[in-house]
Amino acid sequence: EVYVMIEIPSNVLMADEFAKLFDGFSIGSNDLTQLTLGLDRDSALVSYLFSEENPAVKALIKETIRMAKRFKIKVGLCGQAPSDLPQFAKFLVNEGIDSISFNPYALKKGIKNILKAEKKNKKKNFNVIRSIMETPFKNKVAIVTGGSFGIGQVTALAFAKKGAKVVIVDWKENTETLDLIKNSGGEALFIQCDVSKSTDVKAMVEK
């Protein structure tokens, strides 16, 4: 497999085109941060401004992951931040990163940060599903964004089980989710939409 390095902002802007050519993305967070912020991390004059936590850097990483998911290719990150910054590791896990590379000396700390973030995610997802299963939704409409895959699919099935009419809004249809709901006697509708670019999903569904 051949991956393309995402180390300059222009690669993020052209990610949809690169996704058609490569098997995956590898985000080099050190260089991406440096080139996004326009500074030299090795310079004592400006190195204090270097931070992967900068909103602009995180926005580019988030967009790269989103495009990888959209085109069904792998996306990973190599850099020091996930081992040094637990909140950054949590950000990557929440966004759905597939893999994170570490230097040998940072491996143990990095794995600890990832496991901590994943544990919080699992607890949050469990609480969401439990809340749905404890509430009656008969004759109500449940709009589930990103409901075709993963936790979104589980959420859609939980709503259907509790009697809701499920509207799945996602960029790509997964007939498996619709079939599972309909075969169990539920009602489901799919609307194709890139939810990351839609400002008002509810209004769109109502229309």
Side-chain angles (χ1 to χ4, degrees), residues 60-111:
L60 291 176
I61 292 173
K62 183 175 182 177
E63 175 64 8
T64 302
I65 296 173
R66 187 185 73 84
M67 293 305 295
K69 300 299 181 186
R70 178 171 185 175
F71 285 91
K72 296 295 180 184
I73 62 174
K74 295 294 183 180
V75 57
L77 181 139
C78 53
Q80 196 170 339
S83 57
D84 291 346
L85 305 170
Q87 66 272 23
F88 190 76
K90 180 181 178 181
F91 159 72
L92 295 174
V93 170
N94 288 345
E95 293 302 322
I97 196 84
D98 292 314
S99 63
I100 300 175
S101 301
F102 296 104
N103 291 323
Y105 69 87
L107 183 61
K108 185 176 179 180
K109 188 177 179 182
I111 291 175

